Amino acid sequence: MHYYDFYESPHGRMLLVANDNGLCGVYFDGQKYLRRIEAQWRRDASHAGLRQAKRELAEYFGGGRKRFEVALAPAGTPFQRTVWKAICGVEFGQTITYGELAKRAGHAGSARAAGAATGRNPIGILVPCHRIVGSDGSLTGYAGGLHRKRALLALESGTAELVAAA
């Protein structure tokens, strides 16, 4: 069974999806690969995992949370899950390249494949794929939009240039 609810973030409405094992989706409205709500899903604002995710997201956007604790249950291929796990190891306020991500995931030389897996990350922000950048440090690709990637990195770094550009 899937449960869902919405969260109004400073950067737009988000769809939160959970199953019995944990949070399995966090999507900005209009983002690439946005899941559609299925008929058998149940909207449940009181679902414990969804409530916890909303509370932690509010703390994150408020500047008081650097690490998420809600249980995660992303569905993906073994390779994707390995990449997403490596993404979770990138600390708050830090960035790494797709090449470094591939290396940390145990697949050195597979930057493009790691980038594709990053793009399919179903749990944005909590699996912080916004912290992955191009080999030259550029803000390449983000399913939620580059304006949001810039804003999330600005929130985490406090960099005035990023905040102004967001």
Side-chain angles (χ1 to χ4, degrees):
M1 171 65 80
H2 282 83
Y3 307 89
Y4 74 95
D5 201 11
F6 298 99
Y7 173 74
E8 297 297 332
S9 86
H11 305 289
R13 187 178 190 195
M14 302 178 81
L15 169 66
L16 307 181
V17 183
N19 62 28
D20 294 328
N21 298 314
L23 198 65
C24 56
V26 174
Y27 307 94
F28 282 108
D29 270 356
Q31 85 169 50
K32 193 173 185 180
Y33 309 119
L34 173 66
R35 288 281 310 259
R36 289 199 298 191
I37 297 169
E38 298 182 23
Q40 68 270 25
W41 292 7
R42 189 169 80 206
R43 185 167 185 184
D44 186 355
S46 66
H47 183 276
L50 295 175
R51 278 194 347 259
Q52 181 178 353
K54 286 187 271 186
R55 183 178 67 251
E56 290 183 9
L57 282 166
E59 292 167 356
Y60 169 81
F61 285 118
R65 177 169 289 276
K66 295 182 178 184
R67 181 176 290 295
F68 294 94
E69 298 171 9
V70 65
L72 304 179
T77 68
F79 177 79
Q80 287 172 329
R81 289 193 309 269
T82 299
V83 170
W84 300 336
K85 183 176 182 180
I87 291 171
C88 288
V90 181
E91 295 294 325
F92 181 92
Q94 303 296 312
T95 60
I96 63 168
T97 65
Y98 291 98
E100 177 62 21
L101 174 62
K103 181 178 171 185
R104 290 184 185 191
H107 299 279
S110 298
R112 287 180 189 242
T118 301
R120 288 295 197 157
N121 170 23
I123 306 178
I125 302 175
L126 287 82
V127 175
C129 54
H130 59 278
R131 297 177 188 159
I132 314 303
V133 298
S135 60
D136 61 357
S138 61
L139 302 185
T140 61
Y142 185 64
L146 288 180
H147 64 291
R148 289 186 179 125
K149 183 172 188 166
R150 187 175 293 110
L152 295 171
L153 292 172
L155 170 70
E156 294 184 10
S157 70
T159 304
E161 296 82 35
L162 286 174
V163 173

